[in-house]
Amino acid sequence: MTDELAPAPAALQVTPGHVRVGDGYAATFAVCGYPADVGPAWLEPLLSYPARVTVAVHVDPVPPVLAAPMLRKQRARLESSRRLDADKGRLGDPVVDAAAGDAADLADRVARGAAKLFRVGVYVTVHARTVEQLADVSAGVRAAAAAVLLDLQPTTFRHHLGYATTLPLGADAVGMRRVMDTDALAAAFPFASADLAAPPPGRLPEVGGVLYGVNTDSAGVLMWDRWAQDNHNMVVLARSGAGKSYFVKCDLLRQLYQGVHAAVIDPEDEYVALAGHVGGAVVRLGEHGVRVNPLDLPADDRPDTLTRRGLALHSVIAVMLGTGTGTALNAAEKAALDRAIIDTYRRAGITSDPATWQRPAPLLPDLAATLTDGDEIARGVAARLAPWTHGSHSQMFTGPTTVDPRSHLTVWSLRHLPDELRTVGTMLALDAIWRDVDNRAATRRRLVVVDEAWLLMRDGEGARFLARMAKAARKRAAGLTVVTQDAADLLATELGVAVVSNAATQVLLRQSSQAIDAVVDAFGLTAGEARLLVSAGRGEGLLVAGGTRVPFRAVASAREHGLAVTSPAGLPAPLVDRAVEEPAVGTSGGRRRA
């Protein structure tokens, strides 16, 4: 057996104040004093202390035939003390009075079989690399215990016995016990923890997951595997400047490490530096010469490919024409558009025969020409499409597609589009991404990130497309990440609620006081969780996944920080000061918290 797998340290050096175990040091403390009343998980401050601390609880049941005489003797001693104080005219000791009342209540419950007694020993072993560090950690552990009225005393000259007592051997070599009842013993176990729940006994933990950050309650590491959930979608809600893009970029980078292919809709060029670092592709919609043909057919062999492309075109054109009051297509216009789409493909030699699907696809101006040759209703639709076919918005649609978005990371940049075209650009990018996701020949996991999703959610047809994508992504081994700063607007619509409810992973970062009520109602947050989100720092928030609620702070390495943080100019901020040496917290500015 190798030294790394040895069941015991190579050497154990015993001193009065500690033991040296291999290349480290350990000191054991016994819990000698307890509070009169304990609450649930009263040992949690010791178990969650941010250092290497081992807590052992040794329990031996007291036989019922011994429990009653033991309590009777204890009550007699307490009552004798009370009477002695009374005979000498001294004031009664509140501690003795409380203990006498507790002993009487416990004796009554034991007599009725409502409780049992146990001899319990609680021992704490602190580990450190040096003697100085051991002293510092020991002082911190004793202070944390004192905060909950637990008195820790060192096992002087017996630290080797204390070290053995806290090993998983089931042997109590110290023997410092205290009698407890069933309720107090049950409350000692931390069934409620601030960390993620461990898998049930007999079930192996899932392999996978990425680092989300550090638990702000327990200082534990938060690892989460979105691909192991009911669906693979995630929604990130936060106010502007709360660090949501920083968190999403860190998550995206770590997903790429695991071989996931990703596509990002980026309104402000925040993901361009990351794409350049990993060798991804950047599609800059709006730049001269960049064109996307919405009539392109996907590389698929399904018999209904042409029909599905026609239905998707209805959504794209509806977004182009707008779906506000007085601008939505009526039934007659939809029928005319449907006939024109079929006729346009037919004129290009593309029919329901899969052999024709490799021919060059028609363009949007071709569809407008087909509408112009139709009846009066069709010509009206053509007139409304004129800005996109021959007018000021036609630059992206006047030729075949000039970009190849097939990459392990594709960033669709909308920075060069005017504000009036960003909703259409988002829809075009999503449509092109979905064509790739919907390809049955693809077997890799794919991630679709929609940053500033409010651009699409404000449009009715765009919101419906995003909701359909959220519902259908799981069946295609894909995950949708929706990022938005307008939480109240998203949760105020049925389609927005549908997008949120179809995300098994929900991340809430800092919220504005105006939107917190809507967030509380939608996610069923407690008052404490609401206060946490209102006062959270940059990169701090709450992971919500079913019944799981974990507060965390996003963290990144120095290299990840350089790719994830964004300066006001939209360029990666240079790494400065301590960010080169130690991990930095999720921020979107110059301030970092260790």
Side-chain angles (χ1 to χ4, degrees):
M1 182 176 291
T2 62
D3 291 338
E4 290 79 2
L5 299 178
L12 192 69
Q13 180 181 350
V14 182
T15 68
H18 62 267
V19 292
R20 183 171 183 178
V21 185
D23 58 350
Y25 297 85
T28 301
F29 298 84
V31 180
C32 298
Y34 297 84
D37 296 313
V38 294
W42 53 274
L43 280 180
E44 179 66 20
L46 298 179
L47 297 172
S48 62
Y49 191 81
R52 186 185 172 190
V53 177
T54 304
V55 179
V57 181
H58 292 263
V59 181
D60 286 325
V62 177
V65 294
L66 298 179
M70 182 187 302
L71 286 173
R72 197 161 45 245
K73 292 180 181 179
Q74 179 68 10
R75 292 182 64 190
R77 285 194 295 267
L78 293 172
E79 188 61 30
S80 175
S81 299
R82 295 173 66 184
R83 291 185 179 182
L84 183 61
D85 289 339
D87 291 342
K88 293 186 177 183
R90 292 195 295 257
L91 294 176
D93 187 347
V95 176
V96 174
D97 293 341
D102 293 341
D105 177 68
L106 181 58
D108 180 65
R109 289 190 290 123
V110 170
R112 289 186 287 107
K116 293 184 178 181
L117 298 185
F118 301 87
R119 288 189 177 92
V120 180
V122 181
Y123 308 98
V124 181
T125 296
V126 179
H127 302 264
R129 287 293 183 184
T130 65
V131 176
E132 293 77 10
Q133 184 182 6
L134 180 65
D136 293 339
V137 176
S138 298
V141 171
R142 297 185 72 175
V148 290
L149 302 181
L150 293 176
D151 181 21
L152 266 62
Q153 294 297 329
T155 56
T156 306
F157 288 102
R158 294 189 296 170
H159 285 283
H160 60 296
L161 300 178
Y163 175 77
T165 299
T166 55
L167 292 177
L169 303 175
D172 182 1
V174 177
M176 300 182 70
R177 298 295 186 96
R178 171 73 175 266
V179 176
M180 294 186 185
D181 65 341
T182 307
D183 294 342
L185 179 60
F189 294 93
F191 294 113
S193 174
D195 290 305
L196 291 175
R203 178 179 176 182
L204 295 177
E206 299 287 346
V207 178
V210 299
L211 173 67
Y212 272 21
V214 176
N215 190 316
T216 54
D217 279 352
S218 67
V221 175
L222 175 59
M223 301 285 294
W224 186 253
D225 186 4
R226 64 188 296 175
W227 306 101
Q229 310 309 312
D230 295 338
N231 61 66
H232 317 317
N233 301 335
M234 179 170 72
V235 60
V236 181
L237 303 181
R239 61 177 295 181
S240 178
K244 57 184 182 298
S245 295
Y246 186 101
F247 166 75
V248 172
K249 280 182 275 189
C250 290
D251 175 59
L252 175 62
L253 187 59
R254 292 158 188 167
Q255 296 287 350
L256 293 174
Y257 294 157
Q258 299 187 357
V260 176
H261 282 199
V264 182
I265 298 178
D266 181 11
E268 298 296 339
D269 277 4
E270 293 186 270
Y271 298 80
V272 172
L274 191 151
H277 179 76
V278 302
V282 179
V283 179
R284 291 183 170 87
L285 296 179
E287 278 196 346
H288 180 72
V290 176
R291 292 187 292 271
V292 177
N293 182 14
L295 280 78
D296 282 341
L297 291 174
D300 203 347
D301 57 355
R302 296 181 185 180
D304 61 341
T305 294
L306 190 61
T307 301
R308 290 186 293 108
R309 181 87 298 258
L311 295 175
L313 271 174
H314 275 276
S315 298
V316 174
I317 293 174
V319 173
M320 289 181 175
L321 300 181
T323 55
T325 304
T327 60
L329 293 175
N330 56 39
E333 289 173 329
K334 290 180 180 178
L337 177 61
D338 190 65
R339 291 192 299 268
I341 290 173
I342 297 174
D343 196 25
T344 301
Y345 279 113
R346 183 185 56 78
R347 291 183 182 186
I350 299 175
T351 64
S352 57
D353 183 4
T356 65
W357 296 348
Q358 303 301 321
R359 295 175 180 174
L363 305 176
L364 191 63
D366 298 330
L367 176 61
T370 304
L371 287 167
T372 303
D373 294 339
D375 55 19
E376 183 177 354
I377 296 176
R379 289 194 295 272
V381 177
R384 295 176 59 184
L385 273 177
W388 305 95
T389 56
H390 301 90
S392 56
H393 303 339
S394 62
Q395 187 268 334
M396 283 194 297
F397 311 105
T398 54
T401 299
T402 58
V403 297
D404 184 6
R406 291 174 297 179
S407 174
H408 62 286
L409 173 62
T410 304
V411 175
W412 293 78
S413 171
L414 310 181
R415 181 70 178 270
H416 302 278
L417 285 175
D419 292 342
E420 296 79 6
L421 301 185
R422 290 203 172 188
T423 301
V424 175
T426 303
M427 186 65 186
L428 283 175
L430 267 182
D431 180 55
I433 293 169
W434 186 248
R435 271 180 271 170
D436 180 58
V437 169
D438 200 31
N439 187 352
R440 291 186 298 181
T443 58
R444 286 184 177 270
R445 290 174 173 174
R446 283 155 295 179
L447 190 62
V448 182
V449 179
V450 184
D451 204 345
E452 303 297 351
W454 61 270
L455 290 171
L456 195 63
M457 294 302 297
R458 65 186 179 183
D459 183 276
E461 192 62 38
R464 278 189 283 273
F465 186 89
L466 197 63
R468 289 196 299 268
M469 192 172 182
K471 295 178 181 179
R474 182 188 63 83
K475 299 179 180 179
R476 293 159 176 81
L480 174 66
T481 299
V482 176
V483 187
T484 184
Q485 59 183 332
D486 289 339
D489 292 344
L490 179 68
L491 299 172
T493 64
E494 292 183 1
L495 294 174
V497 173
V499 171
V500 172
S501 60
N502 280 280
T505 303
Q506 301 162 347
V507 175
L508 306 176
L509 302 181
R510 185 172 59 192
Q511 302 293 323
S512 65
S513 56
Q514 293 81 7
I516 190 62
D517 290 340
V519 174
V520 168
D521 293 339
F523 295 92
L525 303 181
T526 64
E529 291 168 342
R531 288 192 297 271
L532 168 71
L533 294 180
V534 172
S535 61
R538 284 181 176 175
E540 295 181 355
L542 192 68
L543 169 67
V544 179
T548 300
R549 308 289 178 90
V550 181
F552 74 99
R553 181 179 69 249
V555 294
S557 66
R559 182 66 62 86
E560 289 174 328
H561 176 77
L563 296 172
V565 74
T566 305
S567 66
L571 299 175
L575 291 178
V576 294
D577 55 62
R578 299 195 303 168
V580 183
E581 302 175 357
E582 61 186 21
V585 193
T587 66
S588 55
R591 182 174 68 89
R592 292 182 301 277
R593 298 176 57 188

